[in-house]
Amino acid sequence: ETGVTQTPRHLVMGMTNKKSLKCEQHLGHNAMYWYKQSAKKPLELMFVYNFKEQTENNSVPSRFSPECPNSSHLFLHLHTLQPEDSALYLCASSQGGGGSSGANVLTFGAGSRLTVL
Amino acid sequence: AQSVTQLDSQVPVFEEAPVELRCNYSSSVSVYLFWYVQYPNQGLQLLLKYLSGSTLVESINGFEAEFNKSQTSFHLRKPSVHISDTAEYFCAAYLITDKLIFGTGTRLQVFP
């Protein structure tokens, strides 16, 4: 167990469905992240939250809607997705707020494998 | 544009052979560099990092990486690999901005 737990591990959904991915960290970290991992592409940063406040939205389409109710939980709400959104969605957390102070080593969850039909 | 480049998408090697996974970054200023490893069906785990000081950094499982400022490289090496080292390896860096930039990954496949 890495300290960052993601559920569900696998999700298959149709383009008209609404679903949510959940991430929980037990490390006392202050920052949480969503990344998208697609084959043969670099990891794409989607959202960053520091102390529950969104500090980064990397031009993500509105069909992805993040929610961070507290520093330990992060959700990604999914609505009317496209087949090209199929990917592994990784949640991560860090002690620092996403900057390059050097202390911001990211701890990742195992990911949620999303398939959009 | 800032980037981290891993030229080799796959590296096949036999067990007990040495291996080098290449990583280059685009920056002329101070950087922080990382290697992460992803085993099958798992998330990424930190393998080692360079923040400052000695340019040679080591992990607990025998990997090492050397920061080379003149060549803007941070190659990962291991003198003798094991089957259990089979995984995807990602180089990452904080460059000019405060965003952590990842390379595309190198799949290390170790054969018996």
Side-chain angles (χ1 to χ4, degrees), chain B residues 21-85:
Chain B
L21 307 183
R22 297 180 292 168
C23 174
N24 289 89
Y25 61 91
S26 62
S27 175
S28 58
V29 299
S30 297
V31 298
Y32 301 115
L33 297 158
F34 305 79
W35 276 99
Y36 283 84
V37 58
Q38 185 177 31
Y39 298 104
N41 300 314
Q42 295 185 30
L44 279 69
Q45 304 172 35
L46 179 69
L47 188 60
L48 47 75
K49 62 183 178 182
Y50 170 78
L51 304 181
S52 64
S54 172
T55 57
L56 186 66
V57 291
E58 299 177 352
S59 72
I60 58 173
N61 57 353
F63 282 94
E64 64 178 30
E66 185 163 19
F67 169 57
N68 188 318
K69 188 174 181 179
S70 63
Q71 298 186 8
T72 60
S73 69
F74 191 55
H75 301 331
L76 182 69
R77 302 184 183 94
K78 188 169 185 179
S80 175
V81 294
H82 302 287
I83 296 286
S84 59
D85 292 324

Side-chain angles (χ1 to χ4, degrees), chain B residues 3-8 22-26 75 91 102-104:
Chain B
S3 65
V4 174
T5 303
Q6 293 180 250
L7 287 174
D8 305 307
R22 297 180 292 168
C23 174
N24 289 89
Y25 61 91
S26 62
H75 301 331
C91 184
F102 284 87
T104 50

Side-chain angles (χ1 to χ4, degrees), chain A residues 75-88:
Chain A
F75 296 89
L76 188 63
H77 303 302
L78 315 170
H79 178 48
T80 60
L81 295 191
Q82 305 298 312
E84 60 265 28
D85 296 323
S86 298
L88 182 67

